[in-house]
Amino acid sequence: MILRIDRLETELPPPSTPDPAGAAAVQELLGGKFGELSTFMNYTFQSFNFRARQQARPFYDLVANIAAEEFAHVELVSAAINTMLTGAADDGLPEAGDLLNPQHFIAGGASALPQDSNGKPWNGDYVTATGDLVEDLTHNFFLETGARNSKLKVYEMVEHPAARALTGFLLVRGGVHQVAYARAVENLTGADLSKLFPAPRIPTDKIPESKVHLEQGEHAKLYRFSPEDYKEIVAVFNGPHPETGEDLTVVDHAPEGAPPVDLPPETDVFAPDYAPEEIAAIAQKLREAAGLPKEPTGVVANNGGNGSVVDKVKDAVS
Amino acid sequence: MILRIDRLETELPPPSTPDPAGAAAVQELLGGKFGELSTFMNYTFQSFNFRARQQARPFYDLVANIAAEEFAHVELVSAAINTMLTGAADDGLPEAGDLLNPQHFIAGGASALPQDSNGKPWNGDYVTATGDLVEDLTHNFFLETGARNSKLKVYEMVEHPAARALTGFLLVRGGVHQVAYARAVENLTGADLSKLFPAPRIPTDKIPESKVHLEQGEHAKLYRFSPEDYKEIVAVFNGPHPETGEDLTVVDHAPEGAPPVDLPPETDVFAPDYAPEEIAAIAQKLREAAGLPKEPTGVVANNGGNGSVVDKVKDAVS
Amino acid sequence: MILRIDRLETELPPPSTPDPAGAAAVQELLGGKFGELSTFMNYTFQSFNFRARQQARPFYDLVANIAAEEFAHVELVSAAINTMLTGAADDGLPEAGDLLNPQHFIAGGASALPQDSNGKPWNGDYVTATGDLVEDLTHNFFLETGARNSKLKVYEMVEHPAARALTGFLLVRGGVHQVAYARAVENLTGADLSKLFPAPRIPTDKIPESKVHLEQGEHAKLYRFSPEDYKEIVAVFNGPHPETGEDLTVVDHAPEGAPPVDLPPETDVFAPDYAPEEIAAIAQKLREAAGLPKEPTGVVANNGGNGSVVDKVKDAVS
Amino acid sequence: MILRIDRLETELPPPSTPDPAGAAAVQELLGGKFGELSTFMNYTFQSFNFRARQQARPFYDLVANIAAEEFAHVELVSAAINTMLTGAADDGLPEAGDLLNPQHFIAGGASALPQDSNGKPWNGDYVTATGDLVEDLTHNFFLETGARNSKLKVYEMVEHPAARALTGFLLVRGGVHQVAYARAVENLTGADLSKLFPAPRIPTDKIPESKVHLEQGEHAKLYRFSPEDYKEIVAVFNGPHPETGEDLTVVDHAPEGAPPVDLPPETDVFAPDYAPEEIAAIAQKLREAAGLPKEPTGVVANNGGNGSVVDKVKDAVS
Amino acid sequence: MILRIDRLETELPPPSTPDPAGAAAVQELLGGKFGELSTFMNYTFQSFNFRARQQARPFYDLVANIAAEEFAHVELVSAAINTMLTGAADDGLPEAGDLLNPQHFIAGGASALPQDSNGKPWNGDYVTATGDLVEDLTHNFFLETGARNSKLKVYEMVEHPAARALTGFLLVRGGVHQVAYARAVENLTGADLSKLFPAPRIPTDKIPESKVHLEQGEHAKLYRFSPEDYKEIVAVFNGPHPETGEDLTVVDHAPEGAPPVDLPPETDVFAPDYAPEEIAAIAQKLREAAGLPKEPTGVVANNGGNGSVVDKVKDAVS
Amino acid sequence: MILRIDRLETELPPPSTPDPAGAAAVQELLGGKFGELSTFMNYTFQSFNFRARQQARPFYDLVANIAAEEFAHVELVSAAINTMLTGAADDGLPEAGDLLNPQHFIAGGASALPQDSNGKPWNGDYVTATGDLVEDLTHNFFLETGARNSKLKVYEMVEHPAARALTGFLLVRGGVHQVAYARAVENLTGADLSKLFPAPRIPTDKIPESKVHLEQGEHAKLYRFSPEDYKEIVAVFNGPHPETGEDLTVVDHAPEGAPPVDLPPETDVFAPDYAPEEIAAIAQKLREAAGLPKEPTGVVANNGGNGSVVDKVKDAVS
């Protein structure tokens, strides 16, 4: 089972100049073979299918726990894409000739899709879960390497602040997973995978948007994403970081994260409606009927920002 | 973000007579168009992409929170399939002619795959997330209807106790989601979808394995799968149950669930290894080096059951 | 535009001993690369996309008109599959181990799917419509050859009377299309494709279920499937039949066909419902309210056959 | 069986400034999950697989008859795309950088493809035909809702007159199907789906290109697309229109429609040939040999328009 | 460019009792994610796309040369499947219920398909060719590991002599590629991947059908598959074998291999024809007209074996 | 088995102005339904699966031998795409909005992918290998026709010198294969397919980049791609060329070809590395340790061209 926390793992900038073509490229990090849906689903299925997990608990805990962080990464890529698409349909929909992925607007509501940068849907063939522990961990190390490659290239290709903040962060956290799987393989076999770092062979600190996270030590910490479980990750995630030599440490809780920006309606794509104020009015009445406070209980980064809309609605229904 | 809890949403029986053909049929509930990966990913993407969520908070909370429960259902179907496959490779692998899905053994380790009952991988085309709230909720109501149809048929087709326990439970919980989305549409439009229950038009209490959960009122409760968030689901999930007239209620925490059965190794498919005792020995040393207790900290349903293996290992490494 | 006629192009036998594995094989003729969905969609798109059709009217008419007959073939294959699946779920659903395609029952209602014999969905990649007339006609000749190959093999593989009646008929009619496209290419280029007949090199009259149709001359007639249009097919479909030397002739209307068997409900798969008599009762009331006669206006092959059910319903609602 | 009528369901404008990028977007309405191939194939398979159709005749007739209209919509979208691509290859093929879907020219002859707006082929997974009548009708209502969403967005994204005429018309006719399925569900269950109109929540009369059809009452008429069959649709399609309150009526024949524009050759993509006048000359001879009139018997919108070409050919062959 | 040599890389047994279900399982080694089409295409594309190959010649040569051997493995798996299917259609086609993959007979001529064990076609998504040398080599090491896993399981699942001979051989040769890529990574990074052997952790010499090849030292030799090129593989493939410590050596030519068995006609699937003697007669005449010797110039393992057929033909045409 | 020769079948120009959008269009010739992967894999599987090949040796030899040439075509298209992408990432990656296929840079290293012009992966469904000789040869004739169509259109769409050199050459060689299969069908059936030439109906000599090859007689020669085998192709490939009447001749060896251009590193996409000089240095040491000459043994078209880099490296490691 999972519990959801309504926060992003890191802060993303609010919408600025829209960049639909860039958003189409960022899709590779969501639904590509080496995207976050792949890391999430690979580790999730490996944890579901893990046999004899009591005997191999530290490894089971590692895979299951990293799977949980990957969900946050899927969420973060989606949020970045949604940010980049915000405003693109403000004066009518963009012209087809300006788009790489028209489905962002025709199928979605100026929003992320489970697809890669060519508009091809993610599929279950991208999951490798053989049940052979050493093999699956070796695979995971490679998968993170491929993911790092994609992130570096999307960083270079797309200049939008949301894309840069996203990739800067993911490079650091993906790097932690690379290290974790390398350590696991090392523990099981003695093979010194630390020699393969960095892979690709460009140090993360060359990326300014990664540096801020490196300075906070995010490259050497593994968070425990569970109230009570997965405590044995400490048995694997330890020793020196392969690039910096710093101690690898386990943080015994999830990161604090940041509230998401509540992205504004895009009425031309009916998200959440052609006339969102009607939905707002209904929501307000339901909220009151249920004895909830007048103000929404959710925490978002920009309560003030679109408060005006909320205010307008409150006037309308009062 | 999510936190994982290392428990299943409900108890599943331990392995008994293996049923690989049945397990292949159960895959439809995992990776089919109307399977649990579809419900999980549909609601997850809808929640990620939800615009103006503060204004529509009760509906955002509803979708985001049900998404969290769907993860538990993906997990549960996987566990059932793994249970049904356990033991099938005990005397060498099964013959190809006795299988519907040979990849259970060739690609997996006698384990679940992100595929449907024809061995076709799940793909992102199964996700509908238009951003239009009424449309997405209507879709979700229909999706749950299709899912209920599949579950009823798998229940009939497969007699294995794990499949029956699984479908019995999912029919009840899926029914709750059907009701929740019907209520949401009703609140937004006034359309009385409660008239469509049950859909398909067979009452759930005809299923003995569902009855036990009905008797505990599981058909009328929506759990909140979050430490702090998604509190506004109460604004939508209320009123009478469309079939029984009982009050719909929100439970302000996740269900207690049950510890998973730690499924035994399947050495013929190298899960977790050809010689799992070697992994166990390494794990034990790592555990001790990290200052963890000698006994694995994880909780499983059958600690005694495969304790003998654990004991053997402890002897070996002491 | 099209008009539908609620009759099959030829008579199929009523349900007998069910044969779900055979039905899975027959799917190749529906959704395989060389199946009827492919012939239907290839010629349909070629006709939609046909440029300068006035100048090339005899060829446009030929392609457009054959497309219309292919719809009837898609319908006929579906009817055969549905016939073969009828009764398979009478004592509960069949066991997964007895099936090649479990989705016949889990996704469908003991019914046909747009898939091939491996359960792979038909897809648009199977359509070739280059717009180059000689090339498209050459392609169509080859497509019919591949289709004939598949039909011959399904004939051999599946003994069920519905499958045999189906393939016996389709071999004859597909042969006509082979001839028609060969004649078209010959007219445009002078290449003597008649030398390629029969392809595969086994004469159709070796198939007893084809013989009945051959004896009625069905192998040398092209029907015109339109009230007013496609009259110029006579300009292409003429001359001697490449195998028999008989005159090729155009019949200036659609074939008479036969009423379909009204297949009985399969309540275990909820087709059309768990309690179909309730639907029947509602239908009866609606019919009467609309001033329609008490008896259904549709013509089916077995009005008497399931009249008992209809009678029961009439009693119930009177 | 079907009969084809060589007319479009409504008039489309002749080619004007080509818009290949717009044409790529319009593909979503042809081969997308919610495109016309999907509506056509969903209802067609549901009608093929309909069990106990005599008992449920009004519903069978409804689904089977709407399927027939959907063929006309597939045809219409194809014609619009072909219109938009006409002329794009007049000075050599367009540069790849100006295209969203290069296969329009490389695989097709400046012509429509069975693909969506990302160039992904349509596939049979988009068909839902469970056999459960209430479920399938609920699905169809939702499918039409999704289709209306796509049409509205393509309307906004693409300004080409053919795209606007297309979407303006389809919004009206798709709306009729939405109503028809809502009525069917209402009749079977009592659920008041009319409250869900319009969905998306933007009235169709905001679209100027729809208005012309609304003014002719096209939003409240269901045509019967058959010489003799499907007469019981009147038992379902009646009562007030959910938005306007006008009476829903059945027209007892197909719409008159309009002759298609005979699109000019595109010799650079060999459609219908590199030297189409040679084909024209051959066609002319075949026509005469078959005793057909010298003028093509087909009716197109622009007989005069490309008459010059025809004239040239006649000169050449005389 | 390539030159073909009409020999298999190793000897396969002639047809014996057919095993169509087993053949369907063996397909995983042909068209599965970890099958030989994947290894062949991965290394082939990596070699095509290799930048700055002069500077990195030993690595380019290694990848390009192993690609060439993989072609031989695709050929060998195909030959094994064809062997296993031979005779299955001797008394009419097998019944669908006895098959896992009906397309072996309906689409093929009792012959191999580019599909996996679930009948899913191989696709280009299985190719990883990032251009980053260390990453691609790491990937290749992992790919060979996954391939070894599949081969071990197919070995266990399928007892047919052709399948056993096939997997016994491929395990040895695939192991060589594993070693080669491990050595390449080691040379570039210093990471000691040799510690990961064997992976999966079962020694190859447990497989009797592998032992014969081990005894000939086939596990420690890399063949050079080129008349003149790829000479720098010696710079990478050297040092001790990670499991046995023996010297790794390069053989400066391709292996001698063995002539293929000329598999007999299967007339029920028209391979090569319904009446193959007619083709034989034509071939004989063409051969003579071209001044070729009367006996076919090709070398096969069973010239005597089906000589009777050849004799019969010679009689017929003389 | 195959032997690789490290030369291209014809010379391609070195990199000039990059053209990523054009390169995306050229992908159709690599991974499209009618691309070179399709011709290669179709003929390869047909040769693997060929039954009774001794009896039909001339035809077996023909298919097997042409398959070998198709590998060279896959290689050539890849080289052209890589040439067109070279330099596109010199000042950072190109912007997403300037690309049709972002995966050229995100998944690849400015390099070719096994995909079509819409970024859809090649798949095994594109292979037709029925085992029926006449049918497969007819198919192959058609496949070459479709391939010629695609090549002509890519020629027109893309002006980059590498694309033009590529398509000019492939049109000539593909034409030879068209002729060869036509001759084979003619020999087996008597059907005069030579009347279908040219198809599409535009003579190859209209293409300047083809003319150079025509003038060398490349349109009438079939090369034998084997040291010893496939000698019976002379029995089929003879007689007059259908367009020119010249004698068809067999060249008893592979063409001489040309050395490939060694494309420069693209460090922004890490091909072959972020710091390729490090790889060069390692390679140099390995080369020396293995007793290889200091200069790379491979032959490329531009040894001088990037010698400067090689020189720099030699300095660095000396």
Side-chain angles (χ1 to χ4, degrees), chain E residues 81-148:
Chain E
I81 291 169
N82 292 336
T83 303
M84 297 168 76
L85 294 171
T86 295
D90 275 0
D91 293 317
L93 264 60
E95 285 190 31
D98 293 336
L99 298 174
L100 261 179
N101 188 330
Q103 291 190 332
H104 275 153
F105 300 93
I106 308 181
S111 58
L113 298 161
Q115 300 181 346
D116 68 13
S117 64
N118 273 336
K120 177 164 43 65
W122 185 90
N123 77 78
D125 251 2
Y126 296 160
V127 171
T128 294
T130 69
D132 179 318
L133 181 57
V134 176
E135 181 173 342
D136 284 354
L137 291 168
T138 310
H139 165 269
N140 297 353
F141 169 76
F142 173 71
L143 181 63
E144 292 288 346
T145 303
R148 189 170 187 273

Side-chain angles (χ1 to χ4, degrees), chain C residues 33-34 42 116 120-121 123-130 132 134-136 138-142 145-147 149 153 185 188-196 199-201, chain F residues 33-34 42 116 120-121 123-130 132 134-136 138-142 145-147 149 153 185 188-196 199-201:
Chain C
K33 183 161 66 163
F34 294 105
N42 268 277
D116 68 12
K120 177 164 42 65
N123 77 78
D125 251 2
Y126 296 159
V127 171
T128 294
T130 69
D132 179 318
V134 175
E135 181 174 343
D136 285 353
T138 310
H139 166 269
N140 296 352
F141 169 76
F142 174 70
T145 302
N149 185 317
K153 287 159 167 183
V185 172
L188 283 168
T189 68
D192 185 7
L193 297 192
S194 70
K195 297 269 179 61
L196 287 160
R201 274 178 140 43
Chain F
K33 184 162 65 163
F34 294 106
N42 268 277
D116 68 12
K120 176 164 41 66
N123 78 77
D125 251 3
Y126 296 159
V127 171
T128 293
T130 70
D132 179 318
V134 175
E135 181 174 343
D136 285 353
T138 310
H139 165 269
N140 296 353
F141 169 76
F142 173 71
T145 302
N149 185 317
K153 285 157 167 185
V185 172
L188 284 167
T189 67
D192 185 8
L193 297 192
S194 71
K195 297 270 179 59
L196 286 160
R201 272 177 145 42

